[in-house]
Amino acid sequence: KEKKEKKDKKEKKDKKDKKESKKTRSNSDASGSVDATGALVFDDDVMQNVVTKIAAFVEEAGDALDVDEFFAEVRAIQVSQDFDNDLRLYAVIAGLFPAGSLNKKSLPPVVDHVIKMIDNAKMTPPQVFTAFERYYASFPESLKGYPMVLKVLYDEEAFDDAACIAHYGQDSGCKWFDQAKPVVQPFLDWLQESEESSSEEVDVGGI
């Protein structure tokens, strides 16, 4: 009976702590780092700590970074911090490629790790694009490499040509999107004009 009472008290305390955590997030919205419900968003301090944890796991694993083990680690962090799959993909990108290091050379060795996150959550192409756009918003100096990053993802069937053309053919008004849209134009041109070209013939702006 005592064990049951202790267990019930612990469960109540855990629920209370989680509720208080969300309340604190909601009350700290002055910087725009959380939404109206108190849920985590890209710039939340907790989210940045998540990115740090993922980056540390990646660094420790080195070349032996296993896809399934990586997914399990990220999933455990996601459950403990209670954030959605859109944020999970962003955190994975930021954790795998710190300091704006994402490019056509750094992505292929870990592209399977990224695709695992996308496929598991059945993410739509716009969700995928938005995560990458948000990443590049933090590292605008690296944005020029985005077309070739898209090419790598396209080859891995993370999205199809119609979805990419439709996404970047619209007017968003979001600053992340507005920064990325003109940069990806060479890739869009290739999708529209070179459907039958081989990968060796692709030229996305010489990047």
Side-chain angles (χ1 to χ4, degrees):
K1 185 178 179 181
E2 287 183 12
K3 287 184 178 180
K4 186 178 185 302
E5 288 178 351
K6 286 182 179 179
K7 183 179 179 182
D8 290 342
K9 285 181 180 179
K10 184 178 184 303
E11 288 178 350
K12 286 180 180 179
K13 184 178 183 302
D14 289 343
K15 288 180 180 178
K16 182 180 178 182
D17 289 345
K18 193 170 184 179
K19 190 174 181 180
E20 287 297 321
S21 176
K22 287 193 174 184
K23 184 178 178 182
T24 300
R25 293 175 194 167
S26 183
N27 290 339
S28 64
D29 196 26
S31 65
S33 63
V34 296
D35 68 13
T37 67
L40 290 173
V41 293
F42 295 108
D43 293 327
D44 191 283
D45 289 342
V46 178
M47 237 5 258
Q48 295 310 308
N49 186 49
V50 166
V51 171
T52 300
K53 286 182 179 179
I54 293 174
F57 183 83
V58 171
E59 183 176 6
E60 184 177 349
D63 294 338
L65 186 64
D66 178 79
V67 174
D68 291 331
E69 289 179 2
F70 179 65
F71 177 81
E73 176 69 15
V74 173
R75 178 61 183 149
I77 296 172
Q78 180 183 17
V79 171
S80 69
Q81 297 299 335
D82 190 24
F83 54 87
D84 63 25
N85 292 325
D86 291 359
L87 285 170
R88 184 177 76 179
L89 181 57
Y90 161 74
V92 163
I93 297 167
L96 284 170
F97 309 104
S101 57
L102 173 61
N103 56 50
K104 64 181 180 180
K105 292 183 179 179
S106 62
L107 177 56
V110 290
V111 70
D112 288 343
H113 301 69
V114 176
I115 296 298
K116 174 79 172 182
M117 302 294 163
I118 296 170
D119 289 348
N120 171 265
K122 296 180 172 59
M123 299 183 76
T124 65
Q127 288 177 299
V128 174
F129 300 139
T130 298
F132 280 89
E133 290 160 11
R134 181 59 190 85
Y135 169 83
Y136 280 118
S138 298
F139 306 104
E141 69 281 359
S142 301
L143 184 57
K144 64 182 181 180
Y146 188 30
M148 285 304 296
V149 165
L150 285 174
K151 177 63 172 59
V152 174
L153 294 170
Y154 176 74
D155 288 344
E156 294 294 328
E157 300 183 350
F159 57 86
D160 60 27
D161 50 358
C164 189
I165 292 169
H167 180 74
Y168 287 110
Q170 64 183 340
D171 294 323
S172 168
C174 170
K175 63 179 181 180
W176 314 331
F177 175 89
D178 292 341
Q179 289 173 351
K181 182 176 178 178
V183 177
V184 303
Q185 192 57 51
F187 180 67
L188 299 182
D189 291 342
W190 174 73
L191 287 177
Q192 292 171 315
E193 300 170 7
S194 308
E195 195 171 2
E196 297 180 0
S197 297
S198 67
S199 59
E200 287 77 18
E201 296 172 307
V202 173
D203 179 8
V204 281
I207 297 171

